[in-house]
Amino acid sequence: MNTPKPYKLTISQKPTYLHAIVTGQNSKETVMGYLQELRLQCADRGCTRVLIEERLEGPRLGAIDVFEIAEEGSNRAFGSFRTIAYVDVNAEGDLMKFAETVAVNRFLSVRVFSSVNDAEKWLLDKDR
């Protein structure tokens, strides 16, 4: 019997990248789970560029959890992704920029944005 996932991942194929929208309850397990599933989906589709639109509900994660997710996620994603644009619509403060710094310091091309439009523009500019 399958345990239901604490999130829903919806993926749309764009011409040069995947757009992933994730909803559900905010937790370290949720974020680690959807990032792993997304990595596998991208590998199956031969896609190395992704826009993640996170719409998780509930209390924001603490700095230690954010660091651990960014560190472990970067290690798992290394070599799988060329570019990741990330939008957390419920972000508060500077924790997402902190996560971006952790990932970039581990040689993962990640950039955090406050809007999907800005993230899409950046991904399309990277195509040129």
Side-chain angles (χ1 to χ4, degrees):
M1 192 161 148
N2 288 342
T3 304
K5 294 182 281 191
Y7 63 88
K8 179 181 177 193
L9 185 63
T10 305
I11 299 175
S12 303
Q13 179 75 53
K14 301 294 183 177
T16 60
Y17 65 93
L18 293 183
H19 182 170
I21 300 173
V22 62
T23 57
Q25 285 301 313
N26 193 36
S27 71
K28 182 178 177 182
E29 294 74 26
T30 295
V31 176
M32 295 298 291
Y34 87 71
L35 288 173
Q36 174 67 6
E37 182 178 345
L38 182 57
R39 187 180 64 76
L40 295 173
Q41 285 285 333
C42 287
D44 287 348
R45 299 169 189 235
C47 185
T48 61
R49 298 162 38 81
V50 65
L51 188 161
I52 300 171
E53 183 179 344
E54 186 179 282
R55 298 182 163 276
L56 298 177
E57 300 293 328
R60 301 291 87 195
L61 300 177
I64 292 172
D65 284 338
V66 169
F67 175 82
E68 290 173 352
I69 291 167
E71 181 180 47
E72 187 174 329
S74 297
N75 291 338
R76 286 185 178 176
F78 188 76
S80 299
F81 294 106
R82 199 173 91 209
T83 310
I84 301 171
Y86 193 91
V87 179
D88 181 349
V89 299
N90 296 316
E92 299 171 352
D94 293 330
L95 271 180
M96 294 314 302
K97 283 294 185 184
F98 171 65
E100 176 185 301
T101 300
V102 171
V104 168
N105 286 341
R106 282 152 182 79
F107 306 104
L108 190 61
S109 178
V110 176
R111 184 131 177 233
V112 173
F113 297 90
S114 58
S115 76
V116 171
N117 278 344
D118 289 344
E120 287 176 327
K121 287 177 190 173
W122 181 72
L123 282 170
L124 294 173
D125 283 347
K126 300 275 287 175
D127 282 343
R128 294 186 189 120

